[in-house]
């Protein structure tokens, strides 16, 4: 942990919220954290369905993004 990093236990994040980066990922129990990858974002699709007029995205669930 870098000197200016904030420990995740000292921050109050609502589980199940969309977020970009950071140390907290709300993966379902059925998914393992990808090895050797870094979390970049999780998006709650309920929040994005209003901005998807062509209905390309599911109305519920999450999209998770990682990079290597």
């Amino acid at each position: 942990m870098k000197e200016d990093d904030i420990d995740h236990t000292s921050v109050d994040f609502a589980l199940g919220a969309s977020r970009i980066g950071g140390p907290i990922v709300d993966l379902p129990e059925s998914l393992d954290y990808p090895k050797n990858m870094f979390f970049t974002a999780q998006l709650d699709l309920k929040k994005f369905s209003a901005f998807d007029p062509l209905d390309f995205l599911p109305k519920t669930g999450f999209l998770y993004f990682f990079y290597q």
Side-chain angles (χ1 to χ4, degrees):
M1 201 162 130
K2 297 179 203 165
E3 184 179 322
D4 58 342
D5 286 347
I6 298 171
D7 184 71
H8 71 280
T9 59
S10 66
V11 180
D12 185 25
F13 286 107
L15 293 178
S18 294
R19 63 178 55 98
I20 297 175
I24 300 171
V25 184
D26 303 329
L27 289 177
E29 289 184 17
S30 60
L31 292 177
D32 291 330
Y33 193 99
K35 293 183 192 293
N36 301 320
M37 300 201 67
F38 298 96
F39 168 70
T40 57
Q42 71 181 37
L43 303 178
D44 181 356
L45 293 173
K46 284 186 274 184
K47 304 289 184 182
F48 289 87
S49 62
F51 304 103
D52 182 25
L54 299 176
D55 290 329
F56 286 136
L57 296 172
K59 299 293 181 211
T60 60
F62 281 84
L63 288 177
Y64 297 98
F65 297 89
F66 295 85
Y67 76 96
Q68 187 171 19

